[in-house]
Amino acid sequence: MFEVTDIKLLPNNKAVVALSFFPLGIAFASYIKLQTIKKYPQKMKDIIISENDERLIASKNQADANAFRILQRLLFFSYMGYTLMVPGDIFEAAGWWLITFLLLASLILQGILSEKSTGGHDSKNNDSEDM
Amino acid sequence: MKNKKMKIARVESDVSQEQLAEIIGVTRQTINLIESGKYNPSLKLCIEICKALNKTLNDLFWEE
């Protein structure tokens, strides 16, 4: 089956090396952070405060939301550009399907998560008061 | 609107912004922004500030 579809079960070394860059980078950054805390223990306090201060958390969440919004718009324009410039790939190419799936997934997830966070308007979800 | 009551209460307790921030577990900038009226703290944070300065919510956060 894999010969027919030309899918290799074991990736070549280049792919493994390229895929390992990201987790290695994260591991290295975590190591540096731990070494810094070991060397300067008073920085631990600053790190704890920065992770608990509601104002900083709110601004980080806002930055994350803005980053997501920018990426979503880039994805949308990429999808539009790809669809218009290469009409032969529509419904045919794996790349077109991938970009379409990612765009739809981002829109659906955004809707689901924002509905969840607002708690919906369903009155059945409201907690009954103890009188 | 500036929170003068909070600043007065803090000064009366002889506590700096840095010290108050350390007691509560926030940054000094957050305390400064609350006092200057540029940040609205959550109710939880308001209560923690009141406990740290030994005041009530009315004393520090009720607008006359």
Side-chain angles (χ1 to χ4, degrees):
Chain A
M1 184 182 94
F2 291 117
E3 280 176 4
V4 168
T5 54
D6 203 22
I7 293 171
K8 289 185 185 147
L9 199 57
L10 291 171
N12 59 31
N13 289 338
K14 252 183 171 179
V16 171
V17 169
L19 285 170
S20 66
F21 279 162
F22 192 58
L24 275 175
I26 293 172
F28 185 65
S30 302
Y31 174 74
I32 295 290
K33 195 175 177 181
L34 280 168
Q35 289 302 313
T36 310
I37 292 170
K38 252 186 174 177
K39 207 174 169 186
Y40 307 105
Q42 58 270 27
K43 280 201 179 242
M44 180 73 149
K45 189 185 77 172
D46 293 336
I47 290 168
I48 291 169
I49 287 174
S50 70
E51 286 174 4
N52 286 307
D53 186 326
E54 62 176 42
R55 185 181 61 86
L56 293 178
I57 291 169
S59 54
K60 276 177 201 166
N61 287 341
Q62 187 65 39
D64 286 345
N66 289 338
F68 171 75
R69 216 170 283 135
I70 290 167
L71 280 171
Q72 196 180 40
R73 281 169 194 169
L74 281 173
L75 193 58
F76 176 70
F77 286 124
S78 304
Y79 166 76
M80 288 277 283
Y82 189 13
T83 304
L84 289 170
M85 288 193 301
V86 192
D89 277 4
I90 298 172
F91 302 122
E92 302 287 336
W96 185 87
W97 278 111
L98 181 66
I99 207 168
T100 305
F101 171 74
L102 285 174
L103 181 61
L104 285 174
S106 75
L107 292 168
I108 291 167
L109 271 172
Q110 192 180 16
I112 290 171
L113 291 174
S114 64
E115 186 69 27
K116 244 184 165 179
S117 67
T118 56
H121 295 291
D122 187 359
S123 58
K124 288 177 195 168
N125 288 337
N126 293 336
D127 293 333
S128 58
E129 289 181 18
D130 288 331
M131 298 294 287
Chain B
M1 190 182 285
K2 286 189 182 183
N3 194 335
K4 292 179 187 172
K5 290 183 185 177
M6 181 178 151
K7 187 169 182 177
I8 292 166
R10 182 178 57 77
V11 170
E12 280 175 358
S13 304
D14 197 23
V15 172
S16 67
Q17 285 184 345
E18 183 80 42
Q19 287 167 328
L20 182 59
E22 199 170 321
I23 292 166
I24 295 167
V26 297
T27 59
R28 188 201 62 78
Q29 288 79 7
T30 299
I31 299 295
N32 184 35
L33 287 168
I34 294 170
E35 285 184 0
S36 59
K38 289 175 184 171
Y39 175 70
N40 279 331
S42 66
L43 182 58
K44 183 172 175 271
L45 184 52
C46 287
I47 290 170
E48 285 176 22
I49 292 170
C50 290
K51 283 181 181 173
L53 297 175
N54 203 25
K55 297 283 182 187
T56 66
L57 283 171
N58 274 349
D59 293 336
L60 299 184
F61 296 102
W62 187 256
E63 290 176 14
E64 299 291 341

